[in-house]
Amino acid sequence: MDELVKAYYGQSLQSSADLKTSACCDANAVPAWLKPLLAKVHPEICNRYYGCGLVCPEHINGFKVLDLGSGAGRDAYLLAQLVGPSGEVVGVDITSEQLSISRNYIQYHSDLFGYSNVSFIEGRIENLADLGLQPQSFDLIVSNCVLNLSMDKSAVLEGVRNLLKNDGRFYFADIYADTPIPLELRNHPVLYGECLSGAFYTDEFIALSQKMGFHEPQLITQKPIIIEDNEIAAMLKGINFCSTTYQLHKNQLTL
Ligand SMILES: C[S@@+](CC[C@H](N)C(=O)[O-])C[C@H]1O[C@@H](n2cnc3c(N)ncnc32)[C@H](O)[C@@H]1O
């Protein structure tokens, strides 16, 4: 599936307009307080935004933040402004084309912000321990519409737990289904690439997160996804999807 993901996000999609469903694009849902910061993010980065929710919590000045599946870097450059010059944002992505775009604008944003605190590294979010990041060093780990694309969600959660400080949190937006996705749909390239068929089954996610050493997920926001493409809607008939942002805190009593 890594190759499918790289081809989809590196070649098939050139901008948010190329998405076939609205599952992984929620560009309009930016609150008023964040709009001035978004206005400073380069338009090419914003045009390649494929997130499904908001991963910018307030009051994070000075935080060290990791963005899993940072894509073209829209959230990383928003977070860079929220953490300020004493904070730091590191993005990780598997797709070289996405990384190149995010890296191309590092200098542009440093000049605009007046400080440089963003970097991007190539890697798989299932192998976070191999990326040279210091264990227990992050105050906040975010991710926007990426875990659904991972075939090993336990490994991702394990890596997140190891990289978070003890009082750190994982704050992430993703796609959830209200029933398990049938096996025959999981490998469909468009359903998968569009972040639908790899979606978490909500009950399974809640159990898995606690098994992997987190407290019960805290629901931040949730909204239903309407699938307007008739062909895709027919294939997924009977399954309801929503985009949800959860926050996870480490449970010190486990693992
Ligand atoms: C739906 S896009 C979201 C991108 C970005 N978070 C945003 O909001 O624009 C999914 C991103 O996750 C990356 N990705 C998917 N699976 C990954 C994996 N296993 N490891 C690292 N990155 C991955 C893709 O390359 C792509 O850039």
Side-chain angles (χ1 to χ4, degrees):
M1 282 297 187
D2 283 2
E3 293 315 311
L4 191 153
V5 166
K6 288 188 210 174
Y8 206 72
Y9 287 96
Q11 287 143 36
S12 302
L13 301 182
Q14 294 302 316
S15 81
S16 321
D18 295 332
L19 290 162
K20 292 189 172 49
T21 74
S22 60
C24 63
C25 203
D26 195 23
N28 297 323
V30 173
W33 66 271
L34 207 54
K35 284 190 175 155
L37 279 59
L38 185 60
K40 292 188 179 171
V41 180
H42 193 280
E44 185 178 5
I45 302 284
C46 293
N47 285 342
R48 291 176 186 260
Y49 170 66
Y50 306 130
C52 62
L54 193 63
V55 294
C56 294
E58 294 180 76
H59 313 302
I60 59 169
N61 186 40
F63 274 29
K64 185 170 172 187
V65 181
L66 179 66
D67 182 3
L68 306 183
S70 44
R74 191 199 83 156
D75 291 330
Y77 288 118
L78 276 175
L79 290 159
Q81 299 175 73
L82 290 172
V83 300
S86 60
E88 182 187 349
V89 181
V90 180
V92 179
D93 206 283
I94 199 178
T95 303
S96 55
E97 290 88 343
Q98 295 274 75
L99 282 162
S100 302
I101 293 160
S102 62
R103 286 172 174 154
N104 283 346
Y105 290 96
I106 289 181
Q107 190 61 50
Y108 169 90
H109 290 99
S110 302
D111 293 345
L112 192 64
F113 302 160
Y115 53 86
S116 178
N117 65 352
V118 184
S119 60
F120 296 97
I121 52 182
E122 182 160 3
R124 298 180 76 242
I125 59 171
E126 295 80 0
N127 300 346
L128 291 173
D130 300 341
L131 303 182
L133 301 167
Q134 196 186 337
Q136 300 201 10
S137 66
F138 287 92
D139 302 287
L140 176 70
I141 300 183
V142 303
S143 184
N144 197 346
C145 212
V146 181
L147 266 70
N148 67 82
L149 295 167
S150 173
M151 299 300 280
D152 191 351
K153 297 171 174 46
S154 305
V156 179
L157 290 176
E158 187 179 356
V160 166
R161 193 179 192 281
N162 291 339
L163 288 176
L164 279 176
K165 292 180 183 174
N166 283 343
D167 60 352
R169 57 198 158 124
F170 184 32
Y171 189 102
F172 72 109
D174 225 300
I175 307 293
Y176 291 80
D178 66 349
T179 175
I181 315 271
L183 269 180
E184 66 272 17
L185 294 180
R186 293 220 191 137
N187 294 339
H188 187 289
V190 174
L191 296 183
Y192 193 80
E194 294 273 327
C195 300
L196 290 166
S197 63
F200 276 115
Y201 166 40
T202 306
D203 292 359
E204 211 169 45
F205 161 68
I206 290 171
L208 179 68
S209 59
Q210 288 171 83
K211 183 177 157 209
M212 298 314 295
F214 294 92
H215 286 289
E216 187 171 340
Q218 189 184 340
L219 179 68
I220 306 290
T221 54
Q222 186 162 58
K223 75 173 178 50
I225 287 172
I226 316 289
I227 300 175
E228 278 151 7
D229 182 296
N230 290 339
E231 212 177 310
I232 291 180
M235 279 192 270
L236 295 169
K237 197 161 186 275
I239 309 173
N240 298 305
F241 292 90
C242 57
S243 161
T244 308
T245 299
Y246 280 114
Q247 174 165 264
L248 293 179
H249 289 273
K250 282 169 86 161
N251 184 346
Q252 301 304 327
L253 300 176
T254 58
L255 300 182

